[in-house]
């Protein structure tokens, strides 16, 4: 026993350089992956856009910013993101309270239903609201009102997409706050609202700020929703980058817009990281299952039923209308649009194959992207959670800066223009030894870039919860770092790996911004096929788009419901 204690005491002193080497070794593959498939294409396309005749043109930057059309796009991008964020918080915060404090039958299933819109492809979300507020939709049929070219359609679609971000981020923390603190304030004479404002709200502040920043980030870079519902009238930075690149081949303007978006995303991620550190450091949390109670009193029951009504109208109704439109043929309800997907002859001329083949393409691409994302994201998460052996209570300042910088790098693909990444793939990965333009793997590699952040965010909490003394004991007994991971960490994170794989699969299945550039005409993905069909006139094309969107919705929802069954942490966070 004395020998074992002395070994445990001396082991950290012998191993700082080895531990640092292990961390850097774990980072090597993710860093190489992001350098080759993210940094290189983005810098290449931006650099090419800012050069004219082989020389830098700094004056073009100011010229683009002085363009009234560009200023209008910038204003609308910021305005709609701010409005979408405020509207989402207003509608979703009561739902966050319901999921955090109430216990009722079907709560787990309802949590999965609430999360379904978040993992849906933006093309499907746009299609769902197009079916709800567009031609032949309930609003058009009942009241003669069409909102498919209105900014309200965009705002409501963004609320639909981001409702789960607020419910899970804020509700996850709300459920872990000790309710006795607020009860003590009320015993001391504070009213219900005063106790909530002075005790609970300050504790929730970092979580609300983090959720608001994430919603703002997702809406600031919105592409598929705005492209489908905005038409030629409304355009965000992401949509304008696509138009300047694909429609006008104006790389200089697209490059300037990409840089503006990149700088804005960096600022948002920096502020988000700060709010997350505040949330982790300032609170003492309890088991979320111990704070949920059955609603009591008319006020709580009204809040529960009001939340259920919001979920039914705002989240479920668009999906039901989408499915209904996919069966509403010219001669009544039937499966015409579904059966026509199996024939290439019935598709528009831009398809070289039957539209249904896009389903098998998407599934195979997403499976390959998931495997890549698990490897890269798993190594990255392990590197982020490896403790600094010289600081038993935490990380050294130097290691902390390295970890924070590495963590921020992993989040960048969620905010940087996917259109720029996709077009960058075409102009950079076209020469040996990286001539991948005709390779099948090009699409999964682009999709994996979006899947890696979800793998990391899912794995990190579980890896950080593993008792470090178990790793130290295994190392003292002579286990290598790889065996420590295999024998100690892996059994504890197996479920988290499955959940990470499910999220990576769902987001890869729906990736659209980069795939629209690199998917070959004979191997389109489902989102690309839906966008092509919606872009062409004709009832058959519209019906096929609704049918393919419904298929994609069912696949994504099925994957998410399966994840909720194996999920052990019900705190509510992603």
């Amino acid at each position: 026993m004395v020998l074992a204690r002395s070994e445990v005491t001396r082991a950290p002193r012998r191993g700082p350089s080895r531990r640092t080497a292990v961390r850097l070794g774990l980072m090597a593959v993710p860093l190489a992956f992001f350098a080759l498939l993210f940094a290189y294409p983005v810098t290449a396309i931006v650099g090419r856009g800012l050069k004219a005749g082989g020389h830098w043109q700094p004056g073009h930057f100011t010229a683009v910013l002085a363009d009234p059309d560009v200023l209008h796009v910038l204003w609308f991008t910021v305005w709609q993101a701010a409005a979408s964020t405020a509207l989402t918080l207003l509608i979703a915060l009561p739902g966050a309270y319901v999921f955090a404090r109430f216990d009722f039958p079907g709560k787990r299933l309802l949590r999965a239903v609430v999360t379904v819109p978040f993992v849906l492809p933006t093309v499907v979300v746009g299609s769902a609201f197009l079916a709800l507020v567009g031609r032949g939709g309930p609003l058009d049929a009942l009241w003669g009102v069409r909102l498919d070219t209105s900014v309200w359609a965009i705002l409501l679609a963004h609320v639909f997409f981001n409702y789960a971000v607020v419910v899970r981020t804020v509700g996850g923390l709300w459920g872990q706050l000790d309710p006795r603190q607020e009860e003590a304030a009320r015993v001391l004479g504070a009213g219900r609202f005063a106790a909530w404002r002075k005790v609970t709200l300050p504790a929730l502040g970092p979580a609300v700020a983090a959720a608001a920043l994430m919603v703002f980030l997702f809406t600031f870079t919105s592409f598929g929703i705005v492209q489908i519902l905005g038409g030629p009238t409304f355009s965000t930075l992401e949509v304008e980058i696509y138009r300047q690149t694909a429609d006008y081949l104006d790389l200089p303007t697209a490059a300037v817009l990409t840089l503006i978006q990149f700088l804005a995303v960096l600022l948002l991620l920096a502020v988000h990281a700060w709010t997350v550190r505040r949330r982790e450091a300032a609170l003492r949390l309890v088991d979320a299952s111990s704070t949920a109670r059955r609603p009591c009193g008319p006020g709580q029951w009204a809040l529960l039923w009001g939340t259920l009504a919001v979920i039914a109208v705002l989240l479920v109704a668009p999906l039901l209308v989408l499915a209904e439109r996919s069966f509403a043929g010219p001669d009544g309800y039937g499966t015409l649009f579904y059966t026509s997907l199996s024939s290439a002859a019935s598709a528009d001329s831009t398809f070289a194959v039957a539209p249904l083949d896009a389903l098998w393409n998407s599934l195979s691409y997403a499976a390959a992207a998931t495997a890549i994302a698990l490897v890269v994201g798993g190594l990255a998460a392990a590197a982020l959670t490896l403790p600094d052996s010289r600081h038993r209570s935490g990380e050294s300042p130097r290691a902390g800066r390295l970890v924070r910088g590495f963590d921020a790098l992993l989040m960048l693909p969620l905010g940087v223009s996917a259109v720029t990444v996709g077009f960058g793939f075409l102009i950079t990965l076209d020469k040996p030894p990286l001539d991948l333009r005709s390779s099948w793997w090009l699409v999964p590699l682009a999709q994996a870039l979006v899947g890696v952040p979800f793998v990391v965010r899912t794995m990190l909490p579980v890896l950080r919860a593993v008792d470090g003394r178990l790793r130290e004991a295994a190392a003292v007994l002579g286990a290598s770092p790889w065996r420590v991971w295999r024998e100690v960490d892996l059994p504890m994170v197996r479920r988290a790996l499955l959940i990470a794989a499910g999220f990576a699969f769902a987001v890869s299945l729906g990736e659209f911004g980069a795939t629209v550039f690199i998917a070959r005409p004979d191997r389109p993905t489902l989102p690309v096929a839906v966008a092509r069909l919606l872009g062409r006139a004709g009832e058959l094309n519209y019906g096929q788009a609704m049918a393919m969107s419904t298929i994609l919705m069912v696949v994504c929802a099925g994957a998410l419901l399966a994840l909720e069954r194996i999920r052990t942490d019900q705190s509510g966070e992603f």
Side-chain angles (χ1 to χ4, degrees):
M1 179 64 69
V2 174
L3 177 60
R5 288 180 179 175
S6 64
E7 289 291 342
V8 172
T9 302
R10 290 196 301 267
R13 296 178 183 174
R14 290 200 308 262
S17 60
R18 182 184 179 189
R19 189 70 61 90
T20 302
V22 171
R23 185 195 296 275
L24 293 176
L26 292 172
M27 288 182 176
V29 172
L31 285 174
F33 180 80
F34 276 82
L36 182 63
L37 298 174
F38 178 71
Y40 176 45
V42 171
T43 54
I45 190 68
V46 172
R48 180 173 297 190
L50 294 180
K51 285 183 178 180
H55 300 286
W56 292 99
Q57 300 291 330
H60 183 67
F61 196 94
T62 56
V64 171
L65 291 180
D67 187 338
D69 292 335
V70 172
L71 291 177
H72 177 75
V73 170
L74 288 173
W75 175 85
F76 179 75
T77 301
V78 175
W79 179 87
Q80 63 83 26
S84 297
T85 302
L87 193 60
T88 303
L89 290 175
L90 179 66
I91 295 175
L93 281 177
Y97 177 81
V98 167
F99 280 99
R101 295 304 196 198
F102 293 169
D103 186 21
F104 51 90
K107 181 178 177 179
R108 176 180 292 190
L109 177 62
L110 190 63
R111 180 187 282 114
V113 170
V114 165
T115 313
V116 166
F118 180 75
V119 300
L120 286 179
T122 56
V123 171
V124 173
V125 175
S127 301
F129 273 81
L130 189 64
L132 179 66
V133 303
R135 55 181 180 181
L139 294 182
D140 185 23
L142 295 177
W143 296 291
V145 178
R146 287 183 56 180
L147 298 177
D148 52 329
T149 58
S150 167
V151 69
W152 278 106
I154 297 174
L155 297 181
L156 291 175
H158 283 159
V159 175
F160 170 89
F161 186 78
N162 293 291
Y163 185 91
V165 175
V166 177
V167 167
R168 285 189 174 261
T169 303
V170 180
L173 179 63
W174 209 333
Q176 293 176 287
L177 293 180
D178 192 343
R180 291 174 297 184
Q181 297 177 358
E182 187 174 325
E183 293 170 1
R186 296 191 62 190
V187 168
L188 294 175
R192 182 184 296 273
F193 178 74
W196 179 83
R197 180 173 56 86
K198 294 182 179 181
V199 177
T200 304
L201 183 59
L204 288 176
V208 174
L213 284 168
M214 290 306 296
V215 173
F216 189 90
L217 176 64
F218 289 138
T219 53
F220 185 83
T221 57
S222 182
F223 177 52
I225 291 174
V226 179
Q227 186 187 39
I228 292 176
L229 297 176
T233 307
F234 303 106
S235 178
T236 57
L237 273 175
E238 186 83 354
V239 174
E240 192 63 23
I241 291 170
Y242 174 78
R243 290 176 180 172
Q244 295 295 334
T245 303
D247 296 341
Y248 308 127
L249 295 178
D250 188 353
L251 291 185
T253 300
V256 172
L257 297 179
T258 298
L259 284 178
I260 295 172
Q261 181 170 304
F262 182 71
L263 294 175
V265 167
L266 283 179
L267 177 61
L268 290 172
L269 290 178
V271 177
H272 179 263
W274 177 72
T275 59
V276 169
R277 288 198 297 272
R278 282 190 59 198
R279 181 178 56 178
E280 292 177 347
L283 302 175
R284 289 185 177 181
L285 305 178
V286 298
D287 183 7
S289 61
S290 65
T291 64
R293 296 289 186 269
R294 188 173 180 83
C296 59
Q300 291 190 357
W301 280 107
L303 181 59
L304 174 60
W305 285 109
T307 300
L308 295 178
V310 169
I311 292 173
V313 173
L314 185 63
L315 304 185
V316 178
L319 302 181
L320 293 179
V321 172
L322 173 66
E324 184 270 338
R325 297 302 299 165
S326 70
F327 290 101
D331 300 323
Y333 289 102
T335 59
L336 171 65
F337 297 139
Y338 288 91
T339 56
S340 64
L341 294 177
S342 60
S343 173
S346 63
D348 66 87
S349 59
T350 61
F351 281 97
V353 295
L356 191 60
D357 289 349
L359 172 62
W360 310 116
N361 296 336
S362 291
L363 293 175
S364 56
Y365 285 145
T370 300
I372 298 171
L374 284 177
V375 173
V376 176
L379 290 173
L384 289 171
T385 54
L386 188 69
D388 190 338
S389 56
R390 292 171 293 182
H391 293 72
R392 298 290 299 275
S393 61
E395 294 176 338
S396 67
R398 189 174 184 179
R401 288 191 296 270
L402 175 64
V403 168
R404 288 193 294 271
F406 183 60
D407 193 13
L409 170 67
L410 298 173
M411 293 292 290
L412 282 179
L414 292 181
V416 174
S417 170
V419 172
T420 302
V421 175
F423 196 62
F425 270 36
L426 291 181
I427 68 169
T428 56
L429 305 180
D430 60 344
K431 297 178 182 178
L434 295 174
D435 187 3
L436 300 177
R437 284 198 301 181
S438 59
S439 172
W440 181 88
W441 285 96
L442 191 62
V443 173
L445 288 172
Q447 293 175 344
L449 279 172
V450 184
V452 167
F454 287 91
V455 173
V456 174
R457 298 266 74 80
T458 304
M459 298 284 296
L460 275 181
V462 181
L463 286 174
R464 285 170 175 163
V466 176
D467 192 340
R469 292 173 295 182
L470 297 176
R471 298 188 183 106
E472 292 180 356
V476 166
L477 295 175
S480 64
W482 163 246
R483 188 172 181 183
V484 170
W485 161 258
R486 182 165 52 87
E487 300 290 344
V488 177
D489 294 75
L490 184 59
M492 297 184 179
V493 302
R494 187 175 289 113
R495 282 179 178 266
L497 272 175
L498 292 175
I499 294 172
F503 271 114
F505 182 83
V507 298
S508 298
L509 198 65
E511 204 287 322
F512 176 63
T515 309
V516 71
F517 275 99
I518 59 180
R520 293 165 49 182
D522 59 335
R523 292 189 66 91
T525 62
L526 272 177
V528 172
V530 170
R532 289 181 184 175
L533 289 169
L534 287 176
R536 298 184 65 85
E539 187 174 7
L540 179 60
N541 287 318
Y542 178 80
Q544 286 179 328
M546 297 296 106
M548 297 186 75
S549 296
T550 303
I551 293 172
L552 195 50
M553 174 189 70
V554 170
V555 173
C556 291
L560 186 63
L561 292 175
L563 292 182
E564 287 294 329
R565 292 184 62 85
I566 65 174
R567 195 182 188 98
T568 56
D569 176 18
Q570 294 299 328
S571 63
E573 295 187 52
F574 287 104

